Amino acid sequence: MNSNRHYVIDFDSTFTQVEALDVLGEISLENQPDKDERLQELKSLTDRGMGGELALRESLSLRLDLLKANKNHLAPLIDVLKGKISTSFVRNEAFFEENSDHIYIVSNGFKEFIVPIVKELGIKEENVFANTFVFDDEGKIIGFDKENVLSSNNGKVEQLKALDLKGDVYVIGDGYTDYEIKAAGLANKFYAFTENIERDKVTEKADHITPSLDEFLYVHKMNKAISYPKNRIKVLLLENVHPDALQIMKNEGYNVSLQTGAMDEDELAEQIKDVSVLGIRSKTQLTKKVLDNANRLIAVGAFCIGTNQIDLEECLKKGIAVFNAPYSNTRSVVELAIGEIILLMRNLPDKIAKMHEGNWDKSASHSYEVRGKKLGIVGYGNIGAQLSVMAESIGFDVYYYDLVEKLALGNATKCNSLKELLQTVDIVSLHVDGRKENKNLIGEKQFKEMKDGVIFLNLSRGHVVDIEALKNNINSGKVNGAGIDVFPSEPKTNKENFESSLKGLPNVILTPHIGGSTEEAQENIGNFVPGKIIEYINTGSTTNSVNFPNLQLPILENAHRLIHIHHNKPGIIAHINRVLAANDINIVGQHLKTNETIGYVITDIDKAYNIEVVKELKEIKDTIKFRILY
């Protein structure tokens, strides 16, 4: 703690994740028919005021007129705000406790709801400077105290003049009015706080952009709740991953950037140089060339099921853990498969196209129910197994084939070979993984083994089907209908043209790799993958990693955790323990797991040790990566 330092912090969208008056509007306008319009106007007024486009007093008056709020709305508002304190503020509660005499909340908001919230982190009521409401006899909010300097333009500047703080003054906020304090010469620096909202007109005026309170504390070498500078962990998310993933990682304190499309190899090789965590979906190819430039990369998140777009072995050699979401979109893929089978059995793709052309073709010819038909599932993993259960429930007779011995679910029948399955069933649905050995798993030979008039689906991987063979068998009538969601070559973005020899063929459904692309699936993935990466960074746990030895680790308590990744050679753990013993360091707990390529050692030790030990451990032969958790 430094008694010559003072910290001036804004409230709305800084101390809390939200603008309090916007939340008050949600409460006070609940039963109003024009609620949505009023809330939109309220937000616009807030943004214009915070961005410096609208005079503060005018913005405040207009917002209160819109709210139609009452004193009895304040209690539920406070309840909501208590759950909306900015994540990095809660994480660094010790900062507020240690500096309570020198932290000031200076806000254009209102004391009636600010004081109960900031007291949650130990801020003193006498250090809160804000506006106050004016109520009528019925408790309606009819205005604000216009004698209060914080209700007027340049009010924060006047308030700081009155405080006359001696020493260094640092302002943390998200609005233009916070910048004005620095501009008036009343603060050493203005830190634009962007954890909750980022305003260009504010950030361009900032001395330092602060994506979280962790960044501010790191810059000032102050105590933090975190054991390493999370704000210096740069996360790059590609291919329009779900917003939940962005928010979860931002809330954790990481420096996150988002790009909607994929990157080609050269572009990603350039962009990945200072990235610690990379998030991708199916289009981005994480190759050796890219990984050779990834000097800081510690984890990769595949926001999908498959990982064949990632060089897993090269990641392993470089000590980079890879996580995916193996179950998150299973239901979505299964529903699409069932839907497409029904459409194709009824010959609906052609009938729908004719209707759009104005042709009325009412006929039962080549239109069949699915009840009693034989469905063959190739690949009986998560998706294949769930498809089996759902398909049986609507009347299919289910057959399946998998290279690995799998227990049949329900009344499904296991086939002993792919050929046996293909010769038996009326519908073939592929649900295999993307391993190289599966390339052209279905080609001319396999189509010949199928029944005449078979329905064929591929919702797995593009390279597992010989597209020209499929085309020929559709044209010959061998295949009576096909649903294809994945292709050997796919556009990297929605702006690129899609080319395929399957276009225009009869009774064919072509979809743009959307088997798992539902709001529910993407939300599930967006929550699951970041959770695994954060757990790995925070504890070293590698549960569900697709390339690392899987270790579930206890939460670190009263110790430091040494994470040592090395080539799987004999004697490494003995060498680690010799270094620790030579430096009289007590081991609290130790975990080791290996695979053919690497060894993964977690050692929890007493907190007191010489920093030179770290250097010795890093220099052990065959070390790939080493890090410490405090």
Side-chain angles (χ1 to χ4, degrees):
M1 183 176 67
N2 189 329
S3 60
N4 291 321
R5 287 183 176 180
H6 304 279
Y7 308 98
V8 176
I9 301 175
D10 182 39
F11 182 77
D12 291 294
S13 294
T14 298
F15 196 95
T16 58
Q17 301 167 27
V18 293
E19 292 285 331
L21 291 187
D22 291 353
V23 179
L24 181 57
E26 292 278 358
I27 297 168
S28 65
L29 299 171
E30 179 59 35
N31 298 315
Q32 298 297 317
D34 59 348
K35 174 186 173 182
D36 291 342
E37 292 83 356
R38 283 176 179 264
L39 290 176
Q40 188 58 44
E41 178 62 19
L42 190 68
K43 185 177 185 306
S44 174
L45 290 169
T46 300
D47 289 340
R48 290 167 62 196
M50 292 301 98
E53 299 174 22
L54 187 66
L56 175 70
R57 183 165 286 191
E58 182 183 0
S59 168
L60 211 52
S61 295
L62 291 171
R63 282 185 282 166
L64 290 183
D65 286 344
L66 280 171
L67 285 171
K68 306 299 181 189
N70 191 287
K71 185 178 288 186
N72 60 20
H73 292 135
L74 295 180
L77 169 64
I78 290 166
D79 286 342
V80 172
L81 293 180
K82 283 182 178 179
K84 294 290 185 180
I85 298 174
S86 292
T87 306
S88 66
F89 279 45
V90 175
R91 185 165 56 237
N92 290 285
E93 187 173 359
F95 162 72
F96 295 96
E97 293 173 353
E98 294 169 9
N99 298 279
S100 59
D101 290 334
H102 302 280
I103 294 176
Y104 305 85
I105 302 297
V106 179
S107 171
N108 299 118
F110 292 83
K111 272 191 174 184
E112 285 86 350
F113 56 74
I114 292 177
V115 170
I117 305 306
V118 300
K119 286 172 72 174
E120 294 284 305
L121 294 187
I123 292 174
K124 297 180 177 180
E125 183 172 353
E126 59 265 31
N127 283 2
V128 176
F129 299 90
N131 286 299
T132 53
F133 289 121
V134 173
F135 304 93
D136 67 12
D137 293 339
E138 296 178 349
K140 294 178 182 177
I141 297 173
I142 57 173
F144 49 88
D145 177 9
K146 294 184 179 178
E147 297 300 314
N148 188 327
V149 293
L150 287 166
S151 71
S152 61
N153 297 336
N154 225 31
K156 288 189 177 182
V157 171
E158 295 305 315
Q159 184 64 70
L160 263 292
K161 286 180 180 176
L163 283 173
D164 192 26
L165 300 174
K166 306 298 183 185
D168 296 327
V169 177
Y170 302 105
V171 178
I172 304 170
D174 65 281
Y176 195 84
T177 55
D178 304 304
Y179 157 70
E180 288 177 335
I181 297 171
K182 161 68 190 309
L186 297 169
N188 298 61
K189 286 186 177 181
F190 165 55
Y191 294 82
F193 189 77
T194 60
E195 182 173 321
N196 305 311
I197 191 167
E198 188 167 339
R199 298 182 171 97
D200 291 341
K201 290 189 176 181
V202 178
T203 56
E204 67 187 19
K205 298 288 187 181
D207 295 294
H208 195 98
I209 295 173
T210 308
S212 68
L213 187 61
D214 304 312
E215 170 75 8
F216 178 84
L217 300 179
Y218 177 75
V219 168
H220 288 275
K221 297 180 173 59
M222 301 174 72
N223 290 335
K224 306 182 292 297
I226 56 176
S227 59
Y228 49 90
K230 288 188 179 182
N231 52 288
R232 296 302 163 107
I233 291 180
K234 183 175 179 180
V235 178
L236 176 61
L237 301 177
L238 304 180
E239 301 186 65
N240 204 27
V241 302
H242 195 275
D244 281 5
L246 175 70
Q247 197 56 54
I248 289 168
M249 290 188 157
K250 284 188 73 173
N251 287 348
E252 190 65 16
Y254 302 155
N255 184 357
V256 188
S257 58
L258 183 69
Q259 180 165 312
T260 56
M263 289 184 182
D264 62 29
E265 187 178 53
D266 289 338
E267 185 180 8
L268 186 55
E270 179 62 31
Q271 294 295 322
I272 205 169
K273 288 179 180 177
D274 60 345
V275 169
S276 304
V277 175
L278 177 69
I280 61 174
R281 292 174 71 184
S282 57
K283 291 187 175 69
T284 300
Q285 300 297 309
L286 193 54
T287 63
K288 183 179 186 304
K289 176 181 176 180
V290 173
L291 291 166
D292 283 342
N293 278 8
N295 297 323
R296 296 187 60 185
L297 195 64
I298 58 176
V300 174
F303 286 77
C304 50
I305 293 178
T307 55
N308 57 298
Q309 74 278 34
I310 300 169
D311 189 333
L312 295 176
E313 189 61 30
E314 194 63 30
C315 284
L316 194 58
K317 290 176 183 177
K318 295 180 183 298
I320 300 165
V322 179
F323 299 88
N324 69 338
Y327 315 109
S328 300
N329 65 2
T330 301
R331 174 75 184 201
S332 299
V333 178
V334 169
E335 287 187 3
L336 183 63
I338 292 286
E340 289 197 354
I341 291 169
I342 293 171
L343 287 169
L344 293 167
M345 291 290 289
R346 298 290 294 271
N347 199 29
L348 287 179
D350 289 351
K351 283 182 165 56
I352 291 167
K354 287 180 179 179
M355 289 291 286
H356 281 285
E357 294 167 358
N359 297 323
W360 185 269
D361 181 17
K362 180 175 168 60
S363 168
S365 179
H366 304 298
S367 182
Y368 306 96
E369 290 184 354
V370 298
R371 181 175 47 180
K373 301 302 185 293
K374 295 176 180 177
L375 169 64
I377 300 171
V378 182
Y380 209 60
N382 300 318
I383 294 174
Q386 190 169 134
L387 174 60
S388 173
V389 172
M390 190 180 292
E392 185 178 324
S393 73
I394 60 174
F396 284 99
D397 292 336
V398 178
Y399 296 77
Y400 72 93
Y401 170 70
D402 198 298
L403 284 173
V404 179
E405 186 66 32
K406 297 287 180 69
L407 182 67
L409 299 178
N411 295 310
T413 302
K414 178 181 180 295
C415 293
N416 294 314
S417 68
L418 178 59
K419 181 178 180 179
E420 179 188 344
L421 180 138
L422 297 179
Q423 291 176 337
T424 304
V425 301
D426 305 305
I427 304 114
V428 175
S429 190
L430 304 185
H431 300 286
V432 299
D433 62 31
R435 69 186 71 182
K436 294 176 182 178
E437 293 81 3
N438 282 336
K439 183 174 182 181
N440 290 341
L441 175 70
I442 305 295
E444 190 61 52
K445 176 186 174 184
Q446 287 72 34
F447 283 115
K448 284 181 180 178
E449 292 169 348
M450 297 180 195
K451 286 184 177 182
D452 290 342
V454 70
I455 298 295
F456 180 79
L457 269 72
N458 182 18
L459 277 68
S460 59
R461 299 291 183 273
H463 69 272
V464 304
V465 176
D466 182 334
I467 294 296
E468 288 306 309
L470 173 59
K471 173 188 172 183
N472 293 337
N473 280 274
I474 293 171
N475 284 330
S476 72
K478 177 77 174 185
V479 175
N480 192 44
I484 308 298
D485 185 52
V486 288
F487 305 86
S489 177
E490 298 178 356
K492 286 187 170 59
T493 70
N494 290 343
K495 294 179 180 179
E496 294 182 28
N497 289 331
F498 165 67
E499 297 297 336
S500 174
S501 57
L502 300 178
K503 291 197 301 185
L505 295 180
N507 203 29
V508 171
I509 299 172
L510 303 179
T511 49
H513 203 146
I514 56 167
S517 296
T518 61
E519 292 289 344
E520 293 88 349
Q522 293 309 306
E523 182 178 353
N524 289 339
I525 294 169
N527 282 269
F528 183 84
V529 176
K532 291 301 172 186
I533 290 173
I534 289 167
E535 185 180 22
Y536 172 62
I537 292 173
N538 288 352
T539 71
S541 288
T542 53
T543 309
N544 291 116
S545 172
V546 296
N547 66 333
F548 259 50
N550 274 208
L551 268 179
Q552 179 67 50
L553 296 163
I555 295 171
L556 185 65
E557 292 183 357
N558 299 316
H560 286 182
R561 178 164 288 168
L562 311 180
I563 296 177
H564 194 278
I565 306 168
H566 56 269
H567 298 294
N568 189 7
K569 299 288 181 66
I572 302 290
I573 193 167
H575 196 160
I576 290 171
N577 290 343
R578 281 198 300 272
V579 170
L580 298 176
N583 288 275
D584 199 28
I585 295 173
N586 184 47
I587 295 176
V588 178
Q590 194 166 53
H591 309 265
L592 166 67
K593 207 159 189 183
T594 64
N595 60 24
E596 292 180 358
T597 306
I598 68 165
Y600 189 57
V601 181
I602 307 294
T603 308
D604 293 347
I605 63 172
D606 284 343
K607 289 186 174 182
Y609 60 89
N610 191 319
I611 197 64
E612 287 298 314
V613 173
V614 173
K615 184 179 178 183
E616 286 187 58
L617 292 171
K618 285 181 177 180
E619 291 177 350
I620 292 175
K621 187 180 178 183
D622 291 311
T623 297
I624 299 172
K625 272 188 169 64
F626 177 85
R627 62 189 179 102
I628 306 174
L629 301 181
Y630 299 103

